[in-house]
Amino acid sequence: MAQASPKKSAFKKNAGRLARTTGLAVVFAAAAGCSTTPPIKNFPSVNDNVIGSTNVIGTTVAMPVAKPPVEIIVDTVEIPYDQQIFFYNAPATPPADEAALLAKMTSQQRAEFYMQKFCFRQGATPEEAAAQKEVYDALQSLALLPATGKPLIDLAAREGLQFCSLGHLPNGIAAQYLPSKETIVAGPLSKPESRVMTIAHEIMHAAQDRNKLLNYETNWDIQSRVQRNLSIEAAALTMEFLVAYDAKVGGNDAYWNYMQHYMGGTTYNDDRIYKLVEDTYKTAKDGGATHEESLRKVGAAVWTLVFESDDWRNFYLNHELTIYLRDIADNKFVDATVITHAQFADKTKNAGKVGALPSFTEGVTFPSLDSMLAKREKMKWAFEAAEIARMKQMEGANGKTVATLTAAATAGNNPYLGLDMADIYRKTTDESWTKGRTFRYIYHVMDEAIKPAEPAPVPEPPAPEKPAPAVVPPVIVARRGGGFGFA
């Protein structure tokens, strides 16, 4: 891949910076997420290099995109992602009066200017949110669901959350919660049901932000980092199922029916989840639980089952790996001396907590990283290579732990050990707004990096010179009348 100029790659570099406090919600059926809901245009098949998995759900997924993306380059250096995302959605040629005004603004002021155009706050009137009607209507629909949607809307109103409709987000992302702006940005989503599910997912991330679950420390071990990321993502995806079932119990089965046919071949199409929801709810109700209590039991059961979904699990493992590589590229581990363990173990219980309501993740058990990586060998190799790169920064290339990890990875035939992880991160982030908006796993980028260079084509020998064509004399013909002419 051709490397972008320093200025043009600055956005892509910064695009990962807020991942520490933002999450992902893949418009997933293919993945649901942290503070981001990715609309994956071409989600990779989960069948590629799966080890010992009996539950392969995912296939290539075509995301619903309302209009083709517009390629815009933000020619700027070191501007934060939460500002640049608005610049990418600004008109390429603003009106003359706006252009003069924008020229005098700082990047922060320009971002605020565009936010006023693209966004509204919960509690706005229909007229105030006219330009974002689809997102506004999704919020109104959520407010009709007393056990799930209304608590989310109440939190949004109480915290003054801002909602924005954008036409262009990084590939793999359908919506995203930006903690620094207390803002939810949503890309084009084709169906009302999809919009409701996506907005519920992102408000769930805002709730997690209030519970201080979106931050991590660079001295955490990788298990703690993964547990933070996947715990909150699983809870946000689970909230989508809870919203849909809450509506179904209340007499509106539109969301429930839509989800089962949404994103063919992905987590949303796993029949086990729908049966689990029905069975868990019925058992709880038969045991005397209230509607709200029964939904919390459903939430814990769904949250646990989500980790068996290959496409969801691998998407968010890849997301955390991206953040890990970013920290490596930024030399965050140089001269670090301590790695702390089990840093999120006691916090997972709050991943499903909205406001003052009890959390549906109370008492759940998070799977080990090793057990998750055992299902996808290339993902395992990618994490191994990243862990070795981290330890090289901490200990130096000849460190004892580096030697131990390298020996184990070599014995496991890991092909990624010779790669520069910082370079892999740059290549990965360079694709955020390019490559036809097609999502790729990091190990796809690694596979490309270890591929032998194509041999230079052998030039064809020059064709032998041909003799010049013989001169053909004109043919003289007689014309009637005795004259002569050339044919």
Side-chain angles (χ1 to χ4, degrees), residues 2-315:
Q3 186 170 353
S5 68
K7 287 188 177 182
K8 290 185 179 180
S9 64
F11 175 85
K12 295 149 189 170
K13 179 178 178 182
N14 280 295
R17 285 224 169 130
L18 294 187
R20 177 182 139 171
T21 52
T22 65
L24 289 175
V26 214
V27 181
F28 189 67
C34 221
S35 354
T36 328
T37 297
I40 299 177
K41 185 177 179 183
N42 292 306
F43 203 81
S45 169
V46 299
N47 290 309
D48 101 8
N49 202 30
V50 178
I51 300 176
S53 173
T54 57
N55 175 38
V56 178
I57 303 172
T59 55
T60 298
V61 177
M63 299 300 297
V65 178
K67 58 184 180 181
V70 177
E71 186 69 20
I72 302 173
I73 296 297
V74 176
D75 190 15
T76 183
V77 177
E78 296 303 315
I79 290 180
Y81 171 72
D82 60 353
Q83 295 175 29
Q84 294 185 25
I85 196 169
F86 293 100
F87 301 160
Y88 262 78
N89 286 275
T93 307
D97 55 339
E98 284 188 8
L101 188 63
L102 289 165
K104 300 176 183 178
M105 294 182 180
T106 65
S107 64
Q108 173 67 31
Q109 290 170 331
R110 289 199 302 274
E112 296 293 339
F113 175 84
Y114 286 121
M115 287 172 74
Q116 291 178 17
K117 285 179 169 292
F118 301 143
C119 311
F120 67 93
R121 294 192 184 277
Q122 170 56 24
T125 65
E127 293 73 24
E128 290 170 332
Q132 300 86 25
K133 185 177 185 304
E134 292 178 343
V135 174
Y136 180 87
D137 289 347
L139 293 172
Q140 306 314 303
S141 297
L142 271 177
L144 300 176
L145 304 174
T148 54
K150 190 172 187 305
L152 292 173
I153 295 301
D154 289 346
L155 181 140
R158 186 167 61 250
E159 301 295 338
L161 295 186
Q162 193 166 227
F163 297 85
C164 314
S165 293
L166 301 180
H168 189 40
L169 293 178
N171 70 27
I173 296 177
Q176 189 169 25
Y177 170 63
L178 305 175
S180 59
K181 303 273 186 204
E182 297 188 329
T183 293
I184 290 169
V185 294
L189 297 168
S190 59
K191 299 289 185 181
E193 294 86 357
S194 177
R195 289 193 288 273
V196 170
M197 298 294 99
T198 298
I199 295 300
H201 183 123
E202 296 310 316
I203 299 177
M204 189 69 216
H205 285 310
Q208 292 163 344
D209 190 19
R210 270 60 190 172
N211 294 326
K212 304 186 184 309
L213 303 183
L214 299 189
N215 294 318
Y216 73 92
E217 299 296 332
T218 53
N219 64 5
W220 286 11
D221 72 318
I222 189 59
Q223 169 75 29
S224 298
R225 294 174 64 129
V226 168
Q227 185 162 354
R228 180 203 71 86
N229 197 336
L230 273 68
S231 289
I232 61 177
E233 295 300 346
L237 176 59
T238 296
M239 179 54 75
E240 297 183 47
F241 287 96
L242 293 179
V243 164
Y245 197 67
D246 187 18
K248 182 179 186 296
V249 172
N252 177 7
D253 60 3
Y255 304 118
W256 188 249
N257 293 338
Y258 176 76
M259 288 182 75
Q260 295 177 65
H261 304 288
Y262 177 53
M263 296 298 188
T266 64
T267 306
Y268 291 113
N269 307 132
D270 187 351
D271 291 339
R272 297 175 306 160
I273 292 180
Y274 298 93
K275 185 176 188 305
L276 179 66
V277 170
E278 300 270 15
D279 291 349
T280 304
Y281 184 86
K282 183 179 185 303
T283 299
K285 287 289 287 181
D286 289 348
T290 65
H291 174 60
E292 290 77 10
E293 291 168 342
S294 300
L295 285 177
R296 284 197 291 275
K297 290 182 181 295
V298 167
V302 171
W303 184 94
T304 301
L305 184 59
V306 161
F307 288 89
E308 296 184 26
S309 170
D310 287 303
D311 55 357
W312 179 90
R313 182 185 61 250
N314 289 317
F315 180 89

Side-chain angles (χ1 to χ4, degrees), residues 415-483:
Y416 303 145
L417 299 185
L419 296 177
D420 180 341
M421 293 297 107
D423 184 56
I424 293 299
Y425 172 71
R426 285 189 291 270
K427 289 177 178 177
T428 300
T429 53
D430 277 348
E431 297 185 3
S432 292
W433 298 85
T434 59
K435 289 280 186 184
R437 292 176 63 79
T438 299
F439 171 83
R440 296 204 303 167
Y441 285 118
I442 286 176
Y443 61 71
H444 289 142
V445 179
M446 290 180 167
D447 284 343
E448 195 172 82
I450 63 175
K451 198 181 297 183
E454 293 284 337
V458 178
E460 299 222 0
E465 291 188 7
K466 296 180 180 179
V471 177
V472 180
V475 178
I476 301 175
V477 296
R479 295 181 184 271
R480 287 185 182 179

